[in-house]
């Protein structure tokens, strides 16, 4: 039969009653071609009821009654039976069928109706004709709706995952050779092209979002797969080509590299491994995400050599042809396939995707044999040029098209093809482990089937080899953020897959062999001795290689990782090897290096590699030395070197065991380098770095501390040296931590004092006080520091600094020195009449109180300075009041006699102060009256009351004050309301 119908019952649930659905399925040549179900569910997949009916028919064929097509049954009936059949049918379904029956009857009875022009009648239960197209049923409307919905969610709510699973569905259809695969991809693409965000992004000139960009990449790659179907018809291909061109010509169509302009060569051009690259690359055509698929339409599978490669494991050249050069076979007679590598890999992907895994494997082996041969030849070329290239220290030879990060993902494709052939499918491989992650795949060695003598190779070792070859390929960093980011992402994906491989002796041998080839490979290898200045760095790859090799061949591991530490784009001196594509040269000119958008990430990877080596080299002085030298030579960022120093320190000082001195010394040396690098540049982490360095030096021991104290000027600013370094070294905690004996403590203290005096000389303003503090315990050093302060006081120091040191001196029991410094401070100060809240007022009051306590002479010495510097009446009256309250000289300086009498304001030195205070009040009054507003009148009257108190301290004070008030009334008689208030209070 070709038509299956039945009823499916869905049992009742807690919330839903039992439901029965009518299902009808048409099928043709083992494919379901259409479905209808009463449930009305819309999805790109069949509903559960269609699946249930299909499975019932597959599992219990004998339970399903097989009938002839209905046309055959009708043929066996006579006139009466047919009449009866039709009338019963109409009666059973009269509401639905009657109008149709009436219409058909009218048409049959009309001689010239369309129905009478056709011989016979349709039969839905009969099969299709042999020429009819037969394909699986696909609900196209549903595909459109779902893609539209997922795109409108912009990558949120897991829509990216949903779209990826639709792509996976397309791949599955291709693998089952279901012609709906291309149809479904067309529907998906139409919705992608209709995404309203495209024109928005284009108008704004912003790039497509990262998530969306990856979906477009997959879309482009799938189309390459579709057009490379080895068994598609020509008319299908030309139909796809028309569609792809139409999409590619739309101005919203995303570009291949995510930015405008791209230097990658055409997919069908074999890439010459030389710098003879076309000069017209500036006039490059626009390359969209569909360009590679469009180019792929030009490729065919008719080449007889290619056909032989993919159709037989035993295709080898006759043994008599193995002498001399051949483009078709290597010297062992194995076939080669000399096509542009990414294109050849796209063929492999197409074979894999269209359900030809054996063929894909055979072509992969031919590609790898070709790559090996190229590697061999490049090695020979390099041996001839080695001397000249090493002298130049740079190379112009590099691949303009990298295989890692390439839109066609050639290396990933070969690796997957090979590892899929080696996967151990365990029974429980679908079980999820406790952590919720699926278990990593388990691989076994499967020998390579070849026609020549047993090579002893396995597909697994080839997978490792090709991944290493591809990752180690020297290539120029592509242009643009997206392409550069893709290089990093693709590299990480390949490494993640490599980490799934258990390295047994066979794989270790492959790894060692390939690493040696990469090291010797000259300019064709990213790990060769000379590379191009703009070569993609190898840090991430080398970190994997280092960890993988270390247990098996430590020397090789270090050699490789040390070689990979370089980052030539940051070396200003490196000559830029001329890659003759102009835009790279243009980009070098404006800045120090071309626009490497991922530079921050690359530098952190370089740092990771160094950190991995440091950790591994713990305890091995020689290895640590070489790693340290590599860091100092290649890492140019102070914050990254600081991070390495911190890493080394952490590893060297485990909480549960003794410190490792070798690594501690490396941490210290890196720390010292950071200090030197950041000494003259501003760095917001500088304080943290300085504190860390002292901690590190303390761990290393007393010699390290002595050393940093002695060479402070090349590491720290004077302020850092005194306030952080010396202060921490001399702290109680440090002494305890190091459990030092007396001579050691003295040595440290002596170094700290020397440093303090040097810093005080160099920067007295900021270091004098710290220097005095550090020198307290040594009389000579202390005197020297004090002398430095006195010498600097007249020129280089502010009154705040001097007052601070003066107070410190008083606190230390040197009141006369304190007085001297306070007097020097006063000469730098100037307080205007209205600065009655100035922060220095407290210092002035303290200085006067100090002088007063020392005696009449000191007070007489400071008052002229006060009078000269302070013009603020309230401050002067406050000083005057304090000086008249107690007798001077109460500090009791030995050898001095004090009269114990209060001082009179009529006599010197207070007379001078009183006069100055009165004249300050007079001046301030006039100043305030020039711009006084009525709301300040009350405050002004209070000010005059305070002034009167001061006037009255003079012998003829009341007369002076009365004259002063009369004077005011005369001058300011225009301010009637104010003068009224003055009369009320003062008469």
């Amino acid at each position: 039969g070709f038509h299956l119908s039945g009823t499916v019952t869905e049992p009742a649930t807690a919330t839903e009653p039992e439901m029965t659905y009518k299902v009808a399925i048409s099928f043709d040549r083992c494919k379901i071609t259409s479905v209808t179900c009463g449930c009305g569910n819309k999805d790109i997949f069949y509903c559960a009821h269609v699946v249930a009916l299909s499975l019932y028919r597959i599992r219990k064929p004998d339970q399903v009654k097989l009938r002839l097509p209905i046309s055959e049954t009708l043929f066996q009936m006579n006139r009466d039976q047919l009449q009866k059949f039709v009338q019963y049918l109409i009666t059973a379904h009269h509401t639905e069928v009657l109008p149709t029956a009436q219409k058909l009857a009218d048409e049959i009875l009309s001689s010239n109706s369309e129905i009478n022009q056709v011989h016979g009648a349709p039969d839905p239960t009969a099969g299709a004709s042999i020429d009819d197209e037969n394909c699986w049923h696909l609900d196209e409307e549903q595909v459109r709706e779902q893609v539209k919905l997922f795109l409108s969610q912009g990558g949120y709510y897991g829509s990216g995952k949903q779209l990826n699973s639709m792509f996976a569905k397309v791949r599955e259809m291709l693998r089952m050779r279901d012609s709906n695969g291309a149809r479904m991809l067309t529907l998906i693409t139409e919705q992608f092209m209709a995404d309203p965000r495209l024109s928005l992004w284009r108008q704004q000139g912003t790039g497509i979002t990262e998530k969306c960009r990856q979906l477009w990449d997959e879309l482009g790659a799938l189309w390459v797969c579709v057009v490379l179907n080895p068994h598609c018809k020509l008319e299908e291909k030309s139909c796809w080509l028309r569609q792809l061109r139409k999409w590619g010509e739309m101005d919203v169509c995303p570009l291949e590299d995510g930015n405008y302009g791209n230097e990658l060569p055409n997919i069908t051009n074999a890439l010459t491994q030389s710098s003879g690259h076309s000069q017209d690359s500036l006039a490059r055509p626009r390359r969209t995400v569909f360009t590679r698929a469009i180019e792929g339409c030009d490729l065919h599978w008719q080449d007889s050599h290619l056909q032989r490669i993919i159709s037989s494991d035993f295709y080898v050249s006759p043994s008599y042809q193995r002498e001399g050069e051949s483009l078709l076979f290597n010297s062992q007679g194995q076939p080669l396939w000399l096509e542009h590598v990414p294109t050849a890999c796209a063929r492999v992907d197409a074979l894999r995707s269209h359900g030809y895994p054996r063929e894909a494997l055979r072509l992969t082996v031919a590609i790898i044999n070709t790559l090996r041969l190229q590697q061999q030849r490049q090695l020979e070329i390099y041996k001839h040029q080695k001397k000249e290239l090493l002298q130049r220290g740079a190379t112009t030879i590099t691949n303009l098209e990298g295989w890692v990060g390439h839109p066609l993902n050639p290396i990933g494709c070969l690796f997957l093809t090979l590892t899929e052939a080696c996967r151990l499918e365990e029974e429980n491989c679908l079980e999820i482990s406790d952590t919720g992650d699926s278990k990593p795949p388990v691989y076994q060695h499967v020998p390579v089937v070849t026609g020549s003598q047993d090579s002893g190779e396995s597909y697994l070792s080839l997978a490792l080899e090709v991944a290493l070859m591809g990752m180690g390929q020297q290539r120029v960093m592509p242009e643009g953020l997206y392409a550069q980011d893709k290089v990093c992402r693709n590299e990480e994906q390949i490494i993640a897959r490599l980490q799934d491989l258990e390295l047994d002796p066979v794989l270790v041998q492959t790894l060692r062999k390939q690493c040696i080839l990469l090291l010797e490979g000259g300019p064709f290898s990213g790990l060769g001795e000379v590379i191009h200045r703009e070569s993609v760095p190898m840090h991430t790859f080398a970190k994997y290689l280092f960890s993988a090799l270390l247990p098996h061949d430590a020397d090789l591991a270090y050699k490789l990782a040390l070689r990979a530490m370089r980052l030539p784009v940051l070396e200003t001196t490196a000559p830029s090897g001329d890659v003759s594509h102009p835009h790279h040269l243009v980009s070098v000119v404006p800045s120090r290096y071309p626009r490497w958008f991922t530079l921050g990430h690359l530098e952190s990877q370089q740092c990771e590699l160094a950190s991995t080596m440091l950790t591994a080299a713990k305890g091995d002085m020689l290895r640590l030395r070489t790693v340290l030298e590599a860091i100092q030579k290649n890492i140019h960022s102070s914050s990254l070197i600081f991070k390495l120093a911190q890493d080394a320190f952490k590893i060297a000082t485990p909480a549960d065991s003794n410190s490792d001195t070798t690594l501690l010394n490396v941490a210290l040396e890196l720390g010292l380098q950071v200090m030197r690098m950041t000494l003259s540049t501003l760095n917001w982490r500088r304080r943290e770095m300085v504190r860390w360095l002292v901690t590190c030096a303390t761990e290393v021991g007393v010699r390290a501390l002595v050393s940093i104290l002695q060479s402070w000027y090349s590491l720290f600013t004077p302020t850092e040296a005194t306030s952080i370094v010396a202060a921490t070294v001399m702290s109680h905690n440090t002494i305890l931590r190091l459990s030092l004996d007396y001579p050691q403590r003295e040595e440290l203290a002596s170094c700290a004092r020397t440093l303090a005096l040097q810093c005080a000389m160099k920067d007295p303003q900021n270091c004098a006080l710290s220097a005095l503090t550090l020198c307290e315990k040594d009389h000579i050093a202390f005197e020297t520091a004090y002398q430095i302060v006195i010498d600097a006081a007249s020129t280089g120091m502010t009154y705040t600094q001097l007052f601070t040191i003066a107070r410190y001196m008083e606190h230390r029991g040197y009141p006369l020195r304190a007085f001297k410094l306070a007097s020097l401070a006063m000469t730098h100060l100037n307080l205007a009449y209205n600065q009655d809240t100035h922060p220095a007022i407290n210092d002035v009051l303290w200085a006067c109180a100090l002088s007063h306590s020392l005696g009449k002479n000191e007070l007489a010495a400071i008052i002229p300075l006060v009078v000269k510097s302070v013009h603020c009446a309230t401050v002067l009256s406050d000083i005057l009041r304090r000086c008249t309250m107690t007798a001077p000289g109460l500090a009791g300086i030995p050898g001095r006699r004090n009269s114990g009498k209060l001082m009179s304001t009529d006599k010197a030195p207070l007379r001078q102060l009183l006069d100055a205070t009165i004249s300050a009040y007079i001046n301030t009054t006039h100043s305030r009256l020039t711009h006084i507003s009525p709301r300040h009148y009350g405050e002004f009257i209070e000010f005059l009351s305070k002034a009167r108190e001061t006037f009255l301290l003079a012998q003829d004070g009341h007369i002076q004050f009365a004259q002063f008030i009369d004077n005011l009334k005369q001058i300011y008689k225009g301010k009637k309301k104010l003068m009224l208030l003055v009369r009320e209070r003062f008469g």
Side-chain angles (χ1 to χ4, degrees):
F2 303 102
H3 189 272
L4 175 69
S5 53
T7 49
V8 177
T9 305
E10 199 166 307
T13 63
T15 50
E16 300 287 325
E18 179 179 279
M19 298 291 279
T20 303
Y21 301 104
K22 288 188 169 154
V23 182
I25 301 174
S26 304
F27 49 94
D28 174 15
R29 284 163 274 183
C30 303
K31 296 188 180 103
I32 292 175
T33 52
S34 75
V35 300
T36 50
C37 177
C39 73
N41 270 2
K42 289 280 177 204
D43 198 348
I44 63 169
F45 306 117
Y46 303 146
C47 68
H49 319 108
V50 168
V51 174
L53 182 63
S54 308
L55 289 174
Y56 185 81
R57 165 68 183 77
I58 291 164
R59 288 174 182 167
K60 301 185 176 175
D62 47 344
Q63 301 283 310
V64 179
K65 200 166 185 185
L66 184 63
R67 299 173 185 278
L68 286 170
I70 196 79
S71 51
E72 292 288 321
T73 313
L74 294 174
F75 188 68
Q76 292 166 14
M77 296 182 192
N78 62 25
R79 171 79 183 66
D80 289 349
Q81 288 170 316
L82 281 170
Q83 174 114 23
K84 202 172 203 172
F85 174 77
V86 173
Q87 282 179 289
Y88 266 99
L89 183 64
I90 292 170
T91 307
H93 301 285
H94 66 276
T95 48
E96 298 116 90
V97 175
L98 196 57
T100 313
Q102 195 63 62
K103 180 169 163 279
L104 286 171
D106 292 349
E107 285 190 8
I108 286 171
L109 293 172
S110 160
S111 59
N112 58 352
S113 69
E114 196 177 321
I115 206 167
N116 284 327
Q117 311 299 316
V118 181
H119 183 69
D123 177 359
T125 61
S129 136
I130 193 77
D131 306 325
D132 286 1
E133 190 53 52
N134 70 323
C135 62
W136 287 89
H137 170 67
L138 176 71
D139 187 337
E140 301 193 353
E141 199 37 53
Q142 254 332 95
V143 175
R144 288 193 193 96
E145 284 307 307
Q146 293 217 331
V147 178
K148 198 172 183 174
L149 171 70
F150 294 146
L151 282 172
S152 70
Q153 293 169 348
Y156 304 103
Y157 321 109
S159 59
K161 256 203 179 106
Q162 302 283 358
L163 286 164
N164 272 320
S165 75
M166 287 180 95
F167 288 148
K169 187 77 195 158
V170 171
R171 282 195 181 270
E172 191 186 324
M173 287 166 147
L174 297 180
R175 199 163 55 248
M176 304 307 290
R177 302 179 201 166
D178 173 356
S179 58
N180 274 328
R183 180 77 201 116
M184 182 159 161
L185 188 59
T186 305
L187 297 169
I188 293 174
T189 310
E190 281 166 354
Q191 291 309 312
F192 264 69
M193 288 302 295
D195 187 345
R197 292 176 299 169
L198 288 179
S199 53
L200 199 69
W201 283 324
R202 191 169 175 273
Q203 284 160 11
Q204 295 168 346
T206 50
I208 299 179
T209 59
E210 187 58 30
K211 277 182 178 159
C212 203
R213 196 53 258 199
Q214 289 173 26
L215 292 168
W216 274 101
D217 277 0
E218 177 60 10
L219 193 68
L222 269 173
W223 272 113
V224 173
C225 249
V226 167
V227 302
L228 281 179
N229 177 354
H231 292 295
C232 72
K233 302 191 186 87
L234 266 177
E235 55 269 30
E236 274 182 311
K237 203 184 250 196
S238 53
C239 171
W240 294 329
L241 184 59
R242 277 198 304 280
Q243 270 181 343
L244 290 164
R245 282 198 173 130
K246 189 183 85 198
W247 291 325
E249 282 159 11
M250 291 168 73
D251 53 5
V252 293
C253 186
L255 300 182
E256 180 173 72
D257 60 350
N259 42 287
Y260 292 85
N262 185 324
E263 77 286 356
L264 299 186
N266 180 311
I267 184 172
T268 48
N269 289 355
L271 181 69
T272 48
Q273 297 279 2
S274 78
S275 57
H277 201 55
S278 61
Q279 283 298 331
D280 60 358
S281 50
L282 279 182
R284 282 187 307 261
R286 174 170 170 271
R287 294 184 63 87
T288 71
V289 287
F290 301 117
T291 303
R292 288 182 186 272
I294 291 168
E295 292 166 356
C297 290
D298 296 340
L299 297 171
H300 61 80
W301 296 81
Q302 271 75 58
D303 183 277
S304 59
H305 182 56
L306 176 62
Q307 282 301 325
R308 287 189 186 118
I309 290 173
I310 62 178
S311 55
S312 160
D313 285 322
F314 304 107
Y315 174 45
V316 291
S317 69
S319 50
Y320 59 82
Q321 284 182 1
R322 295 187 189 174
E323 296 305 313
E325 286 286 289
S326 157
L327 288 176
L328 302 181
F329 302 93
N330 65 12
S331 56
Q332 287 87 52
Q334 296 165 313
L336 304 173
W337 181 241
L338 285 166
E339 189 172 31
H340 170 234
V341 175
T343 310
C345 297
R347 286 187 191 274
V348 171
D349 193 28
L351 288 168
R352 232 181 90 236
S353 304
H354 288 284
Y356 301 100
R358 293 293 325 155
E359 288 82 346
L361 256 179
R362 290 168 188 148
L363 183 54
T364 300
V365 174
I367 294 170
I368 291 175
N369 282 328
T370 312
L371 289 176
R372 284 171 168 171
L373 192 66
Q374 280 184 354
Q375 199 177 39
Q376 226 60 54
R377 289 191 184 151
Q378 288 165 356
L379 211 62
E380 283 155 27
I381 296 170
Y382 172 56
K383 279 175 188 157
H384 293 299
Q385 304 171 334
K386 189 169 181 175
K387 201 172 163 194
E388 175 204 344
L389 280 173
L390 287 176
Q391 276 171 345
R392 270 210 320 232
T395 174
T396 55
I397 307 167
T398 180
N399 293 291
L400 295 173
E401 182 177 50
W403 299 331
V404 173
H406 189 283
L408 296 173
N409 188 13
I411 299 303
C413 157
L414 297 183
F415 186 82
L416 269 177
T417 307
L418 290 160
T419 49
E420 274 174 5
C422 303
R423 266 187 98 138
L424 256 183
E425 293 301 340
E426 301 172 42
E427 278 73 82
N428 56 357
C429 70
L430 290 175
E431 278 181 29
I432 302 296
S433 60
D434 304 340
T435 53
D437 306 325
S438 52
K439 291 180 185 166
V442 182
Y443 299 110
Q444 62 184 350
H445 283 287
V446 175
V448 176
V449 186
T450 72
S452 56
Q453 76 283 17
D454 179 28
S455 61
E457 289 183 325
S458 82
Y459 292 118
L460 199 57
S461 60
L462 287 189
L464 174 61
E465 183 178 346
V466 80
L468 300 178
M469 263 188 198
M471 302 265 286
Q473 175 209 29
Q474 199 212 157
R475 53 203 183 266
V476 163
M477 179 66 82
E479 287 265 293
L481 167 62
Y482 180 69
Q484 292 176 11
D485 190 51
K486 203 166 164 184
V487 168
C488 301
R489 256 206 331 272
N490 193 202
E491 190 171 38
E492 278 156 16
Q493 286 161 355
I494 296 171
I495 288 173
R497 294 227 169 96
L498 284 174
Q499 280 163 338
D500 287 340
L501 301 181
E502 284 278 325
L503 291 181
D504 59 15
V506 177
L507 292 183
V508 169
Q509 193 186 346
T510 306
L511 178 71
R512 286 195 58 213
K513 185 178 153 200
Q514 197 49 235
C515 285
I516 292 165
L517 281 170
L518 286 172
L519 279 172
E520 293 172 355
F524 301 98
S525 153
L527 292 162
E529 280 178 276
V530 277
I531 52 170
H532 185 270
R533 179 165 176 256
E534 288 173 42
S535 213
V536 171
M538 294 278 138
H539 309 125
T540 316
F541 179 41
K543 188 179 139 193
Y544 161 76
L545 293 177
F546 179 79
S547 305
L549 271 173
L550 197 63
H552 311 288
D553 187 341
D555 286 344
L556 185 57
Y558 277 101
K559 188 175 179 187
L560 210 138
L562 289 165
R563 169 82 55 88
M565 272 294 289
R566 62 201 169 183
L567 188 49
V569 79
L570 291 183
E571 311 291 346
T572 30
T573 53
S576 176
D578 162 39
V579 173
S580 52
H581 50 331
H583 69 273
H584 266 289
L585 301 182
V586 171
S587 65
V588 178
V589 180
S591 63
R592 200 172 105 227
Y593 28 77
R595 298 190 63 191
W596 280 32
F597 298 94
T598 49
L599 193 58
H601 169 75
L602 298 172
E603 284 191 283
S604 68
Q605 288 301 303
Q606 183 188 32
C607 180
E608 287 284 302
L609 173 62
S611 186
T612 308
M613 283 196 280
L614 283 176
T615 311
K618 179 178 174 178
D620 183 334
M621 203 55 234
L622 273 174
R623 291 235 195 266
L624 279 173
R625 267 292 123 210
T626 49
V627 176
L628 179 65
E629 281 162 20
I631 292 169
Q632 291 171 329
K633 181 178 170 212
N634 293 300
I635 298 187
H636 303 277
S637 152
S638 55
S639 53
L640 288 176
I641 296 180
F642 183 48
K643 184 189 175 300
L644 281 174
Q646 289 175 303
D647 286 355
F649 183 75
K650 272 198 203 99
I651 302 158
T653 52
D656 49 0
S657 62
N658 294 338
S659 301
D660 177 82
T661 46
T662 54
L663 199 49
L664 256 182
N665 279 307
V666 168
L668 178 65
E669 207 159 320
L670 290 171
L672 293 172
Q673 186 182 348
V674 173
M675 288 298 107
R676 288 189 284 269
M677 286 171 86
T678 54
L679 179 57
S680 52
T681 56
L682 288 172
N683 189 307
W684 60 277
R685 296 182 65 189
R686 175 77 188 172
R687 277 186 81 78
E688 176 199 352
M689 290 167 167
V690 173
R691 288 184 192 287
W692 179 86
L693 185 84
V694 179
T695 310
C696 181
T698 308
E699 276 303 313
V700 174
V702 71
R703 302 294 352 126
L705 288 175
V706 167
S707 167
I708 64 169
L709 290 174
Q710 286 175 342
S711 55
W712 70 269
Y713 44 85
S714 64
L715 305 168
F716 315 107
T717 64
T719 320
E720 289 167 346
T722 50
S723 63
I724 305 178
V725 182
T728 313
V729 171
M730 295 312 296
S731 70
H732 187 59
N733 284 352
T734 308
I735 308 292
L736 279 181
R737 177 86 188 84
L738 291 169
S739 52
L740 303 177
D741 56 22
Y742 182 74
Q744 288 174 316
R745 279 209 299 264
E746 269 315 291
E747 183 185 14
L748 264 189
S750 161
C751 287
R753 289 193 290 269
T754 308
L755 169 146
L757 294 175
Q758 288 170 343
C759 293
M761 286 291 284
K762 199 170 165 97
D763 183 3
Q765 290 98 318
N766 298 309
C767 302
L769 185 58
S770 303
L772 286 163
T773 315
L774 287 164
C775 295
E776 278 171 3
K777 295 199 171 80
D778 184 285
H779 177 68
I780 297 170
F782 189 77
E783 290 304 314
T784 313
Y786 173 66
Q787 199 49 53
I788 292 169
V789 175
I790 297 295
D791 293 346
S794 54
T795 51
M797 298 185 76
T798 65
Y799 60 81
T800 317
Q801 291 161 338
L802 289 167
F803 276 132
T804 309
I805 297 169
R807 290 192 163 196
Y808 161 82
M809 280 295 183
E810 188 205 23
H811 178 69
R812 298 275 308 132
Y814 295 103
L816 288 167
R817 288 183 174 185
F819 167 73
K820 182 168 185 180
L821 288 164
S823 306
L824 287 166
M826 287 301 294
T827 61
H828 292 281
L829 181 67
N830 186 18
L831 277 185
Y833 77 90
N834 55 356
Q835 288 183 296
D836 50 1
T837 55
H838 193 284
I841 291 172
N842 279 333
D843 289 320
V844 173
L845 294 174
W846 167 81
C848 293
L850 172 71
S851 311
H852 184 261
S853 74
L854 288 174
K856 200 171 172 181
N857 296 344
E858 281 74 18
L859 191 59
I862 208 154
I863 279 174
L865 300 175
V866 171
V867 168
K868 192 175 175 195
S869 301
V870 181
H871 308 288
C872 180
T874 48
V875 176
L876 289 168
S877 63
D878 198 1
I879 295 169
L880 188 61
R881 189 178 53 77
R882 290 173 187 226
C883 289
T884 53
M885 281 166 67
T886 55
L890 295 179
I893 298 285
R896 288 197 187 181
R897 283 179 58 249
N898 287 318
S899 62
K901 279 203 268 179
L902 292 175
M903 293 172 75
S904 161
T905 51
D906 287 341
K907 295 193 187 117
L910 292 190
R911 176 77 214 194
Q912 190 187 356
L913 184 57
L914 176 61
D915 291 345
T917 309
I918 289 172
S919 78
Y921 269 117
I922 293 170
N923 291 338
T924 305
T925 301
H926 287 300
S927 296
R928 287 180 75 162
L929 282 172
T930 50
H931 46 72
I932 192 164
S933 64
R935 62 198 173 105
H936 292 126
Y937 286 175
E939 200 186 305
F940 177 71
I941 297 298
E942 290 311 312
F943 175 74
L944 283 183
S945 304
K946 275 215 178 95
R948 181 167 62 182
E949 286 169 22
T950 303
F951 273 84
L952 293 179
L953 290 173
Q955 271 192 333
D956 54 350
H958 59 292
I959 300 167
Q960 272 192 48
F961 188 69
Q963 280 174 345
F964 173 50
I965 293 293
D966 285 343
N967 212 355
L968 290 183
K969 289 180 202 161
Q970 201 53 43
I971 299 172
Y972 302 103
K973 58 178 179 247
K975 298 185 188 292
K976 291 194 175 74
K977 193 175 177 191
L978 178 60
M979 289 308 129
L980 192 70
L981 291 172
V982 170
R983 272 195 205 89
E984 275 177 14
R985 176 71 72 94
F986 305 110

